């Protein structure tokens, strides 16, 4: 027996980074996974690799978390392919360029809030309905250390991640009595393509500054977040709900 035997999971943003490691970790522990991502090439490759290299099954679904019909198709695929939905990881997200609050364009603000915050809510409501039909489940939302504290120059991202933490707590309270647990993880800076896209990986000096923000003196690895997410999704975390767990090399303890 493994932790996720006879389990079905959906993981958004699982074509890359933290989501990809999470989908693989759940599959290595026995869960069939729906790999959901807006990026078809990466998502298909992730699903094929997971199906080939683990004993679990994996199906790719092209999903934009800002689109209701896509999100419904994602959950329908889990139920039709594998019977039900037990685990959901709402992880898809966009980073942001750094600019002061008053300089952010409304388009940039709206896009980040729509993907990072409203996208999580859009997924939650469909996932919760499916879980309630089948006796409950476990959900983890990927927030950030920037869901717990601020930083200069990332107003939309920081607001979106604070929103994810708040949404996680309310959803946890709303469904605690119906066996749906809802938690969040708050990663520190993790070595994924998002850091490069945000321009934070351009030179050694910037990377050193990022490392120094963490008392452990380094950036995190995607696997370190995937392991925490898998724990929160597992029965080992059966009394954990509404938690926003920092996995951050000590960042938030300063
Ligand atoms: P990543 O860029 O490697 O992965 C993000 C994935 O989300 C990509 O595969 C992308 O295609 C997908 N995605 C983007 N928009 C989407 C949409 N509209 N619909 C569906 N999929 C979409 O980045 P990552 O670092 O693995 O980020 C995963 C999550 O972790 C994000 O929510 C991010 O905010 C959060 N996070 C990352 C860090 C970090 O330092 N990397 C720190 C804290 C939190």
């Amino acid at each position: 027996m493994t932790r996720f035997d006879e389990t079905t999971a959906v993981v958004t943003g699982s074509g890359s980074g933290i989501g990809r490691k999470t989908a693989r970790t759940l599959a290595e522990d026995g869960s069939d996974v729906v790999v959901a991502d807006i990026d078809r090439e990466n998502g298909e490759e992730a699903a094929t690799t997971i199906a080939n290299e683990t004993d679990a099954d994996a199906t790719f679904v092209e999903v934009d978390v800002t689109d209701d019909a896509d999100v419904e198709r994602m959950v329908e695929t889990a139920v039709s392919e594998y019977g039900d939905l037990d685990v959901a990881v709402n992880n898809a997200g966009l980073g942001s360029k750094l600019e002061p609050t008053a300089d952010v364009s409304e388009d940039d603000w709206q896009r980040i809030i729509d993907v990072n915050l409203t996208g999580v809510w859009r997924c939650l409501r469909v996932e919760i309905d499916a879980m309630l039909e089948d006796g409950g489940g476990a959900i983890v939302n990927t927030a950030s250390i920037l869901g717990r504290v601020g930083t200069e120059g990332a107003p939309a991202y920081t607001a979106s991640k604070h929103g994810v933490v708040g949404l996680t707590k309310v959803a946890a309270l709303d469904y605690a009595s119906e066996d749906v647990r809802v938690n969040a993880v708050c990663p520190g800076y993790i070595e994924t393509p998002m850091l490069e896209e945000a321009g934070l990986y351009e030179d050694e000096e910037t990377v050193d500054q990022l490392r120094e923000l963490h008392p452990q003196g380094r950036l995190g690895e995607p696997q370190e977040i995937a392991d925490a997410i898998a724990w929160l999704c597992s029965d080992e975390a059966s009394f954990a709900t509404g938690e926003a767990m920092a996995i951050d090399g000590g960042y938030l303890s300063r």
Side-chain angles (χ1 to χ4, degrees):
M1 283 285 283
T2 52
R3 273 195 300 184
F4 296 111
D5 263 353
E6 294 181 22
T7 297
T8 304
V10 297
V11 184
T12 68
S14 46
S16 174
I18 293 167
R20 187 174 176 131
K21 280 288 182 201
T22 300
R24 184 173 177 115
T25 301
L26 295 172
E28 281 171 350
D29 272 358
S31 182
D32 294 321
V33 281
V34 172
V35 172
D37 205 291
I38 199 170
D39 184 323
R40 170 167 282 278
E41 196 179 329
N42 280 347
E44 277 181 343
E45 207 263 317
T48 305
T49 307
I50 290 169
N52 287 343
E53 296 181 5
T54 72
D55 291 335
D57 198 15
T59 304
F60 170 69
V61 181
E62 188 173 334
V63 173
D64 179 348
V65 296
T66 69
D67 185 304
D68 283 327
D70 280 8
V71 170
E72 276 168 26
R73 201 160 37 79
M74 169 181 86
V75 171
E76 276 163 20
T77 302
V79 173
S80 63
E81 291 277 321
Y82 305 119
D84 61 2
L85 181 67
D86 309 290
V87 163
V89 182
N90 298 315
N91 163 83
L94 293 176
S96 68
K97 58 185 175 197
L98 293 179
E99 53 188 357
T101 300
D103 293 356
V104 177
S105 73
E106 188 155 348
D107 281 353
D108 286 352
W109 171 272
Q110 205 54 57
R111 177 75 186 148
I112 287 182
I113 296 294
D114 206 16
V115 174
N116 290 9
L117 175 55
T118 315
V120 172
W121 170 74
R122 238 180 237 113
C123 291
L124 274 179
R125 59 183 178 167
V126 183
E127 294 157 359
I128 287 168
D129 278 350
M131 287 176 178
L132 290 177
E133 275 179 26
D134 204 54
I139 299 175
V140 175
N141 302 319
T142 307
S144 168
I145 45 174
L146 301 182
R148 304 261 303 266
V149 294
T151 191
E152 297 82 357
Y157 185 86
T158 303
S160 74
K161 294 301 186 178
H162 273 71
V164 169
V165 170
L167 175 59
T168 299
K169 291 177 182 172
V170 174
L173 294 173
D174 284 344
Y175 300 100
S177 63
E178 292 172 276
D179 280 336
V180 177
R181 294 186 301 105
V182 189
N183 290 289
V185 288
C186 296
Y189 288 88
I190 310 301
E191 293 201 48
T192 73
M194 181 175 284
L195 285 195
E196 284 164 45
E197 281 156 27
L200 294 171
Y201 225 82
E202 269 161 19
D203 57 82
E204 203 45 40
E205 199 187 326
T206 313
V207 180
D208 273 346
Q209 283 167 359
L210 279 188
R211 288 190 187 111
E212 282 163 19
L213 293 172
H214 304 79
Q216 287 189 343
R218 65 176 177 86
L219 304 180
E221 301 285 339
Q223 187 66 54
E224 294 176 304
I225 309 305
D227 288 337
I229 293 173
W231 180 76
L232 283 169
C233 292
S234 76
D235 288 344
E236 292 161 18
S238 50
F239 203 47
T241 198
E243 173 62 14
M245 185 195 276
I247 313 290
D248 67 350
Y251 184 109
L252 288 175
S253 296
R254 282 207 196 280

